[in-house]
Amino acid sequence: MSSRHATLRRTFSAQFGAMPMWLVRAPGRVNLIGEHTDYNDGFVLPMAIDRDVRLALAPRTDRQVHVFSLNFQQHDHFSLDDLQLTTTSPWGNYLRGVAWALQGAGFELTGFDAVMEGNVPIGSGLSSSAATELATVTAFRALGNLTLDAVQAALLSQKAENDFVGVKCGIMDQYISSLGQAGHALLIDCRSLGFEAVPLPAGVQFVIADSTVRRGLVDSAYNERRAQCEEGARRLGVPALRDVSLAEFERRAPALPDLVAQRCRHVVAENERVLHSVAALRAGDVTAFGRDMDESHTSLRDLYAVSHPVLDTMVEVARAVPGCLGARLTGAGFGGCTVSLVVNACVPAVVDALQREVARRTGLTPQIYLSGAEAGAGIILGE
Ligand code: GLA
């Protein structure tokens, strides 16, 4: 039994005086390319990582949910018949939101006792929120034998985050946490919600580095970008920026306000980059993939304006090490993580540079996460 599992069982027994019946998990994610494209009906290429949120749980006979969070050392409880936002345990809002979305979709839920624990760093852009949501869906699914598929689980989790918690995210994070596949990234079409599993190439690794920068106002900046994209699509007379090719965009861009044109240019080009980079990956051309990652970062920095000086330094430092094929910020931006594509033998040198040189230049020591691609949410143990 893993030590995390043992801790969950021990804590469950101390909190609830019994043993848990189920252990469920849902992973965080890193996006390899395709940033700020999901809410424009575009393409993304994330992979699920080996860090996850876990719930050890047992059913209750009433309509209550009682949860102890090991990370926050805090107890929270609510009734399935009275789902309100809480300010005393904000992490509990993801569980409430999922219960709200599932019940809204007509599912009959069972109350439960649970201990929750996660090792997805919180607020770092690796989707600890989506992991919490999908772990909660998986808990309700296990207890109530609910018949919902993995896409529906992702959509209802996104609904929980959009309409209950109040963050207007796209579908990428919930989708990959739900449908991730070991050894593969997923090319997701955020309009059709279809996906293709893309095998990760041998001989290289994705190095995730957390800047440790946590910036406030991310939500308002994110919503502002969304609004600028919507304005661009409206002025271009298309349902979403997904519907414009780069060539057509360049022809029509002069009619757009400058800032809107700049934001839209990122999205339109990024969509093409995702498809190009997936073709490169399938052809075994990791060098071309790395180049696309570099271009994605430049575009996010200069056109979409969602980078941060520390992220720019990290990308620069990683790229300067031989064997680093490309690097970019990942996730919403403004802080959080970068991801670099590195030849296996060169990983230690890149990690060393990221820690030492970035600390020297910025005073911050990035936290490094090395992870392969993992499976999406599921039941680890249970009836
Ligand atoms: C956040 C959102 C995602 C996506 C990314 C940017 O992670 O939750 O839906 O928009 O930002 O690509």
Side-chain angles (χ1 to χ4, degrees), residues 87-99:
T87 48
T88 45
S89 45
W91 54 271
N93 285 326
Y94 297 105
L95 291 103
R96 287 170 174 74
V98 164

Side-chain angles (χ1 to χ4, degrees), residues 148-171:
L148 82 166
D149 66 24
V151 171
Q152 212 180 353
L155 285 168
L156 289 171
S157 293
Q158 183 200 19
K159 188 171 176 53
E161 183 137 355
N162 285 176
D163 300 336
F164 190 88
V165 180
V167 177
K168 301 288 170 204
C169 62
I171 188 62

Side-chain angles (χ1 to χ4, degrees), residues 128-359:
S128 57
S129 323
T132 305
E133 289 152 6
L134 266 302
T136 307
V137 175
T138 309
F140 281 122
R141 186 161 59 80
L143 292 173
N145 210 5
L146 310 182
T147 46
L148 82 166
D149 66 24
V151 171
Q152 212 180 353
L155 285 168
L156 289 171
S157 293
Q158 183 200 19
K159 188 171 176 53
E161 183 137 355
N162 285 176
D163 300 336
F164 190 88
V165 180
V167 177
K168 301 288 170 204
C169 62
I171 188 62
M172 168 168 69
D173 307 343
Q174 289 78 13
Y175 197 99
I176 188 66
S177 184
S178 186
L179 284 104
Q181 288 188 17
H184 295 75
L186 294 193
L187 167 63
I188 305 166
D189 178 334
C190 297
R191 171 171 280 166
S192 71
L193 295 182
F195 71 91
E196 279 174 41
V198 182
L200 291 184
V204 289
Q205 199 167 342
F206 289 99
V207 174
I208 304 165
D210 182 355
S211 64
T212 73
V213 174
R214 308 277 182 268
R215 219 182 86 173
L217 299 178
V218 172
D219 289 351
S220 58
Y222 185 91
N223 289 341
E224 185 188 67
R225 298 298 182 285
R226 276 193 82 136
Q228 288 164 332
C229 292
E230 279 157 22
E231 183 183 342
R234 200 176 54 245
R235 285 176 184 264
L236 292 170
V238 289
L241 291 178
R242 150 72 176 275
D243 299 299
V244 197
S245 71
L246 191 53
E248 188 190 349
F249 177 78
E250 291 307 353
R251 214 168 31 77
R252 302 183 57 193
L256 297 176
D258 285 350
L259 198 60
V260 170
Q262 209 173 299
R263 305 292 190 247
C264 295
R265 180 170 290 117
H266 163 74
V267 173
V268 173
E270 184 81 353
N271 270 329
E272 296 201 354
R273 257 192 300 276
V274 175
L275 299 179
H276 177 265
S277 69
V278 167
L281 215 51
R282 289 197 184 283
D285 189 350
V286 285
T287 309
F289 190 89
R291 255 195 321 267
D292 284 332
M293 290 176 75
D294 286 346
E295 279 177 21
S296 169
H297 183 81
T298 304
S299 175
L300 288 161
R301 184 192 61 202
D302 299 343
L303 298 177
Y304 218 63
V306 293
S307 192
H308 182 281
V310 176
L311 296 176
D312 295 338
T313 304
M314 287 165 66
V315 159
E316 233 175 77
V317 166
R319 283 178 195 158
V321 180
C324 177
L325 305 174
R328 56 184 291 278
L329 73 81
T330 182
F334 311 104
C337 292
T338 62
V339 58
S340 308
L341 177 60
V342 183
V343 172
N344 282 345
C346 305
V347 168
V350 170
V351 169
D352 189 62
L354 276 169
Q355 292 186 315
R356 281 209 267 185
E357 183 61 13
V358 172

